[in-house]
């Protein structure tokens, strides 16, 4: 059984505690073993936790989860093309276009013409979009302040570093694999 106490500190690898095995893993299913199985299980747990938290947050804000990702990306990157949105969010252009279309219709994003190349259409946040970004930041800050209340700034920085490192390793491998098949 998972309790808040059992989740407050990571279990030692292979200790057989509830943290090693997801709560929804049937008792008769062997847990993945070894470092690769451990990381796969951890990524699955992180993915579920992230989806659930994002769903609750976006429900409170009254926005689809995908829309929040687009406006956060535009806040970080500034005006970009739809292909940039798709690449950054790692979705198909048609998916990005549909998400952006909802944001344009809602008045959060506008399409403009690139002055340097009038053939290029750019996407940028409106004032309402920037206000929504601020609201999302405030919500995330409040949630994270509660979730990580017992973590030091160093703990948070190290966790972020390792999450980015895992993402970069997976992305690098997938990009290299894709490039080798396109040669």
């Amino acid at each position: 059984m998972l309790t808040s106490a059992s989740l407050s500190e990571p279990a030692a690898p292979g200790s057989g505690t509830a943290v090693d095995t997801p709560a929804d893993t049937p008792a008769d299913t062997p847990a993945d073993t070894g470092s690769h199985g451990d990381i796969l299980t951890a990524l699955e747990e992180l993915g579920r936790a992230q989806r659930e938290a994002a769903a609750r947050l976006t429900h409170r804000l009254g926005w689809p989860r995908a829309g929040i990702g687009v406006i956060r990306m535009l806040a970080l990157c500034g005006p970009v093309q739809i292909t940039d949105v798709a690449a950054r969010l790692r979705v198909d252009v048609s998916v990005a276009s549909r998400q952006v279309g909802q944001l344009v219709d809602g008045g959060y994003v506008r399409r403009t013409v690139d002055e340097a190349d009038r053939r290029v259409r750019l996407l940028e946040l409106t004032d309402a979009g920037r206000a929504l970004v601020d609201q999302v930041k405030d919500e995330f800050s409040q949630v994270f302040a509660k979730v990580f209340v017992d973590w030091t700034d160093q703990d948070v920085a190290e966790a972020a570093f390792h999450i980015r490192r895992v993402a970069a390793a997976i992305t690098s491998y997938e990009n290299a694999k894709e490039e080798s098949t396109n040669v």
Side-chain angles (χ1 to χ4, degrees):
M1 174 178 176
L2 287 176
T3 65
S4 59
S6 68
L7 293 177
S8 63
E9 288 295 322
S15 65
T17 65
V19 176
D20 286 348
T21 306
D24 59 354
T25 300
D28 60 347
T29 302
D32 288 325
T33 57
S35 60
H36 299 116
D38 290 345
I39 200 154
L40 176 60
T41 300
L43 287 171
E44 290 169 341
E45 292 170 7
L46 178 61
R48 276 192 299 276
Q50 185 275 332
R51 280 190 306 276
E52 291 166 1
R56 285 190 296 273
L57 175 65
T58 55
H59 178 74
R60 282 196 303 272
L61 294 172
W63 259 103
R65 187 175 61 175
I68 299 299
V70 173
I71 65 154
R72 283 182 36 84
M73 192 224 88
L74 289 173
L76 290 170
C77 298
V80 297
Q81 297 179 42
I82 190 69
T83 54
D84 299 322
V85 172
R88 176 80 182 220
L89 298 179
R90 298 180 181 147
V91 297
D92 187 73
V93 173
S94 65
V95 172
S97 182
R98 186 172 52 253
Q99 293 170 355
V100 166
Q102 291 174 339
L103 293 168
V104 169
D105 292 346
Y108 298 97
V109 172
R110 75 174 141 253
R111 293 181 177 101
T112 62
V113 175
D114 185 349
E115 293 302 320
D117 183 349
R118 305 224 18 106
R119 299 170 296 171
V120 175
R121 304 276 290 178
L122 296 175
L123 304 167
E124 63 184 17
L125 291 173
T126 63
D127 290 340
R130 283 186 286 282
L132 184 57
V133 168
D134 290 341
Q135 186 180 4
V136 169
K137 284 181 186 176
D138 289 345
E139 286 282 334
F140 276 121
S141 293
Q142 290 173 23
V143 168
F144 289 161
K146 293 174 186 170
V147 169
F148 299 111
V149 69
D150 295 330
W151 290 40
T152 66
D153 289 345
Q154 180 71 23
D155 291 339
V156 173
E158 287 177 12
F161 170 80
H162 289 294
I163 291 168
R164 285 187 185 106
R165 187 172 174 210
V166 168
I170 292 169
T171 301
S172 175
Y173 171 78
E174 288 300 324
N175 288 345
K177 191 167 86 172
E178 185 176 303
E179 287 174 12
S180 70
T181 61
N182 291 335
V183 176

